[in-house]
């Protein structure tokens, strides 16, 4: 069978994509090649997904006919670009999709001259099919390449198209955001424990509160401020909590977190 999908880097995000693309039958295991240097990780990927696993990044480029997904840390990008420079061919090239934070289309296009490249920013809820991915297209892409990227990332959640100038901000918000939300869940649970709840119950209450609130905002399409007002009774418990959050600079902390992450994404691209 023809190999269609090449994955370079079988870590957290690479596996999230691989797992759902195979689960949903978008690619058969025999149509996939993964390159991954860690032996334990190689064995795990081979055994779990029944895909071909190699350490040879150049082989991934020569074998994969439809798409090559780059899912390594940004710090190893230039080493990988050098490894595959010799096998690049403009005539029979797959579309290269990079999920690397901060690596720009112009950096990708100088590493893969005249090849169709797409820059994408997914997030970890992709693992459970509730991710959101922003895409921006390189100069040599066409509608077919765009469709392939949409198909790949819609297997793991929502997909939006953005211009590249927004990509660092997207990274700061939805790319890094799951970590901020996880921190919030952990803190809510700690608060529950401080107020006397057992840890397991506190965790369950915190997770479901975040999930339910997000669902309510999404399904009822109401403004977050309106939802906050609905919960807040005059002289009640919620306003006492909100006043404390405002004193502690909660809003400002989140705003500055998104800005700091966007700035870091910008720095990684230099
Ligand atoms: N984790 C996240 O929430 C998100 C990560 N990203 C981006 O995804 C990329 C990967 O991140 P993670 O999956 O979290 O990292 P990870 O460290 O879990 O995965 C990277 C994988 O690449 C492998 N690797 C290292 N050197 C390699 C080489 N020379 N050739 C092939 N594979 C190699 C590593 O062994 C590892 O398994 C990063 O560039 C990051 O910016 C994007 C969105 C969200
Ligand atoms: O922390 C990082 O650099 C990556 C990019 C977005 C989420 N994780």
């Amino acid at each position: 069978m023809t190999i269609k999908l090449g994955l370079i880097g079988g870590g957290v995000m690479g596996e999230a994509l691989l797992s759902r693309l195979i689960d949903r039958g978008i690619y058969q295991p025999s149509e996939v090649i993964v390159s991954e240097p860690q032996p334990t990780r190689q064995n795990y990927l081979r055994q779990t997904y029944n895909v071909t696993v190699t350490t040879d990044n150049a082989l991934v480029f020569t074998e994969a006919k439809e798409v090559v997904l780059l899912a390594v840390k940004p710090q190893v990008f230039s080493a990988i670009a050098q490894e595959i420079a010799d096998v690049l061919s403009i005539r029979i090239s797959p579309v290269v999709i990079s999920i690397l934070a901060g690596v720009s289309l112009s950096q990708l296009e100088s590493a893969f001259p005249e090849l169709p490249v797409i820059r994408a920013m997914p997030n970890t809820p992709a693992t459970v099919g509730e991710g959101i991915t922003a895409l921006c297209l390189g100069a040599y892409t066409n509608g077919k390449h765009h469709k392939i990227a949409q198909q790949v990332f819609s297997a793991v959640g929502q997909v939006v198209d953005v211009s590249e100038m927004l990509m660092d901000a997207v990274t700061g918000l939805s790319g890094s955001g799951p970590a901020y939300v996880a921190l919030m869940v952990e803190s809510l649970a700690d608060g529950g424990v401080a107020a006397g709840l057992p840890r397991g119950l506190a965790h369950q209450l915190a997770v479901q509160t975040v999930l339910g609130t997000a669902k309510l905002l999404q399904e009822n399409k109401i403004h977050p401020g309106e939802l906050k007002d609905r919960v807040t009774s005059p002289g009640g418990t919620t306003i006492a909590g909100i006043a404390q959050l405002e004193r502690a600079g909660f809003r400002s902390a989140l705003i500055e977190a998104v800005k700091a992450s966007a700035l870091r994404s910008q720095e990684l691209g230099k």
Side-chain angles (χ1 to χ4, degrees), residues 166-190:
L166 298 180
M167 218 51 173
D168 295 319
V170 165
T171 305
L173 202 172
S174 56
S176 298
Y180 314 151
V181 176
L183 212 69
M184 193 174 84
V185 166
E186 194 182 21
S187 311
L188 286 171
D190 282 347

Side-chain angles (χ1 to χ4, degrees), residues 8-14 35-38 41 57 71-74 76 80 83 99-101 121-124 175:
I8 298 191
V12 172
M13 282 308 301
S35 74
E36 170 55 52
Q38 290 183 51
R41 202 67 199 151
N57 291 321
V72 292
K73 294 290 186 200
V76 295
I80 287 178
E83 270 176 63
I99 64 163
L100 279 57
M121 180 45 59
N123 62 4
T124 42

Side-chain angles (χ1 to χ4, degrees), residues 27-140:
Y27 294 105
Q28 300 303 311
S30 56
E31 294 175 322
V32 179
I33 183 165
V34 181
S35 74
E36 170 55 52
Q38 290 183 51
T40 47
R41 202 67 199 151
Q42 286 175 3
N43 289 336
Y44 167 79
L45 293 167
R46 217 177 263 124
Q47 278 162 18
T48 312
Y49 301 106
N50 202 20
V51 292
T52 304
V53 183
T54 176
T55 49
D56 186 349
N57 291 321
L59 185 70
V60 173
F61 259 84
T62 50
E63 291 291 309
K65 302 297 178 243
E66 197 168 284
V67 54
V68 170
L69 269 172
L70 281 180
V72 292
K73 294 290 186 200
Q75 290 79 1
V76 295
F77 170 64
S78 48
I80 287 178
Q82 273 171 17
E83 270 176 63
I84 54 183
D86 290 344
V87 297
L88 289 180
S89 149
I90 299 166
R91 277 177 304 114
I92 41 148
S93 96
V95 56
V96 180
I97 304 179
S98 159
I99 64 163
L100 279 57
V103 176
S104 66
L105 281 175
S106 83
Q107 286 171 300
L108 291 165
E109 282 170 350
S110 26
F112 311 114
E114 294 180 49
L115 293 193
V117 297
I118 293 179
R119 181 176 170 191
M121 180 45 59
N123 62 4
T124 42
T127 314
V128 291
E130 291 291 345
I132 183 158
T133 304
L135 299 178
C136 58
L137 309 180
Y140 301 95

